[in-house]
Amino acid sequence: MLGLADVPASAVACLGVSGFTDSLGMGQAQHAVIVLIDGLGANSLQAHRELAPCLASPLHTSTEISTVFPSTTPAGLGTLGTGLLPGAHGLVGASFWLPEAEEILTPLHWNDNITPMAVQPERTIFESASLHGVEVTTVAPGSYSGSGLTRAVLRGGAYAAADSLAARVQITHRLTRSASRSLTYVYWPDLDRTGHASGVGSKEWKTGLEQVDRLVAQISEALPSGAVAIVTSDHGMVNCDERITIDDDPILSAGITRVAGEPRMRHVYVREGATSEVVSAWRNRLADRVDIRTREELIDSGLLGEVDVDIADRIGDFVAISRGTTLLASSFDTRVSALRGQHGALTDDEMRIPAIIMRGSGS
């Protein structure tokens, strides 16, 4: 199955940027638009397709692709921006230990004392496109313009602040009528927030999906001839019904020095020499509900892609990957642990994302 890394590669390839392959079949274009809907899983879209007539339209070329592991925003946006898997771009979770800084980094709330380019020094696809004469613009909320995550993985080109649906459409409309080749990245975070708070399929989530479809429909309708857009996501989401609290369980909390990640994909760091003992305890305690893999087992599995030697120590001494609808709550992220909608693990609901290609025909 093709993956999220194929989205930016295909978008710049269709603009004629050398060194990239259009594996998704976007064709040749003067203007390419990537619309990323945070938290929109392919399964949840299919289950509620009646609420999204534009996204579900047979007039578009629609397929399913796989997001990266962990199925979480920092890892996904890292791959969207660089075309690399997490083992290479280094954003290996919603939070993780950063040995060189001797602290846990939470990319969505970047610490000011940590330099983004030191964490992720690889050239982004946006930078590569800019170097080839493509006009690159990120269209997203103004509050994200100077964030550490933006500077780490989405650097390259201009940033156009857009906090409303109308602003995103207007800016995209203008950019796709530029005389030069353009790559426009449009980000919509609202559906993910609603899914976390209210759950996938809730009344609030359904309203959010309808808003997403309006955004996509208006962008699609405004695409001129010679423009192509692709709608995708960074991950899906599941509603969690079983909560296991690490701190309240003496078996699970024994030997641990720190916990990071998120409720469905925990990085767990333990005291020196205790990994085998703690891993055995977790496997016995959480059998059939959580998949436990040591750092070495995770690296060997290839789930992160090829892991750079300088990135390996960011991974927990072991990781705990939830199955089914289980979440692992922790005092490390009390607020996040309390949310119903979650992601990060390997279920189809979390890993399968849409890739919907829309071609312009307007003037």
Side-chain angles (χ1 to χ4, degrees):
M1 176 181 282
L2 296 173
L4 182 57
D6 294 296
V7 172
S10 294
V12 295
C14 86
L15 297 173
V17 178
S18 61
F20 298 93
T21 301
D22 179 17
S23 54
L24 290 171
M26 292 181 68
Q28 294 183 327
Q30 182 180 354
H31 305 286
V33 181
I34 299 172
V35 183
L36 190 137
I37 309 301
D38 198 325
L40 179 61
N43 287 357
S44 57
L45 175 59
Q46 177 62 30
H48 301 281
R49 57 186 295 111
E50 74 282 357
L51 301 175
C54 179
L55 288 167
S57 172
L59 298 177
H60 307 314
T61 303
S62 180
T63 188
E64 293 182 6
I65 61 176
S66 176
T67 190
V68 297
F69 175 81
S71 51
T72 194
T73 298
L77 292 189
T79 293
L80 183 87
T82 66
L84 303 171
L85 296 180
H89 66 59
L91 300 184
V92 296
S95 60
F96 50 89
W97 179 249
L98 197 63
E100 57 268 38
E102 296 189 333
E103 62 180 280
I104 289 176
L105 173 64
T106 303
L108 294 180
H109 306 283
W110 202 283
N111 301 357
D112 291 338
N113 61 316
I114 297 176
T115 304
M117 283 194 68
V119 175
Q120 199 301 103
E122 303 295 334
R123 177 185 290 177
T124 71
I125 288 183
F126 294 175
E127 288 175 315
S128 295
S130 293
L131 289 171
H132 282 79
V134 176
E135 181 181 5
V136 178
T137 308
T138 292
V139 184
S143 60
Y144 300 159
S145 63
S147 73
L149 183 59
T150 297
R151 288 181 286 146
V153 300
L154 301 175
R155 58 180 179 265
Y159 193 104
D163 293 309
S164 68
L165 186 154
R168 287 171 172 82
V169 173
Q170 290 167 6
I171 293 171
T172 304
H173 182 274
R174 172 175 57 81
L175 292 169
T176 53
R177 281 154 179 78
S178 169
S180 61
R181 292 175 298 161
S182 71
L183 172 65
T184 305
Y185 165 57
V186 182
Y187 177 63
W188 187 262
D190 296 22
L191 189 68
D192 178 71
R193 295 171 180 165
T194 302
H196 277 303
S198 302
V200 177
S202 64
K203 178 181 177 181
E204 295 83 359
W205 186 90
K206 290 178 180 179
T207 298
L209 179 59
E210 291 173 333
Q211 187 179 38
V212 165
D213 199 65
R214 286 195 294 273
L215 169 72
V216 172
Q218 290 180 33
I219 289 177
S220 175
E221 290 164 3
L223 288 176
S225 177
V228 61
I230 183 167
V231 181
T232 190
S233 184
D234 50 351
H235 57 75
M237 188 174 288
V238 296
N239 295 332
C240 290
D241 301 315
E242 182 186 15
R243 182 180 307 272
I244 298 169
T245 303
I246 297 170
D247 311 75
D248 293 344
D249 190 317
I251 295 176
L252 298 180
S253 58
I256 291 175
T257 58
R258 60 185 67 89
V259 172
E262 61 194 296
R264 285 187 57 80
M265 211 306 288
R266 289 293 185 192
H267 288 284
V268 184
Y269 308 85
V270 304
R271 56 181 170 80
E272 188 174 355
T275 300
S276 295
E277 176 186 348
V278 177
V279 165
S280 179
W282 276 60
R283 283 176 172 158
N284 290 334
R285 182 75 176 86
L286 301 173
D288 301 325
R289 292 179 288 175
V290 179
D291 181 20
I292 308 298
R293 302 194 189 194
T294 65
R295 177 185 296 150
E296 293 74 19
E297 289 170 342
L298 180 62
I299 291 173
D300 289 345
S301 73
L303 283 171
L304 296 171
E306 186 174 349
V307 178
D308 189 285
V309 64
D310 294 327
I311 288 169
D313 285 345
R314 298 179 184 181
I315 302 167
D317 290 300
F318 68 91
V319 297
I321 308 167
S322 292
R323 300 172 182 167
T325 60
T326 299
L327 70 79
L328 294 168
S330 170
S331 58
F332 167 74
D333 51 16
T334 303
R335 186 187 65 81
V336 173
S337 289
L339 299 172
R340 184 171 189 227
Q342 299 284 351
H343 50 78
L346 288 166
T347 67
D348 279 355
D349 285 344
E350 293 159 284
M351 292 293 293
R352 288 183 179 269
I353 54 174
I356 303 169
I357 297 173
M358 305 173 172
R359 306 184 191 283
S361 58
S363 60

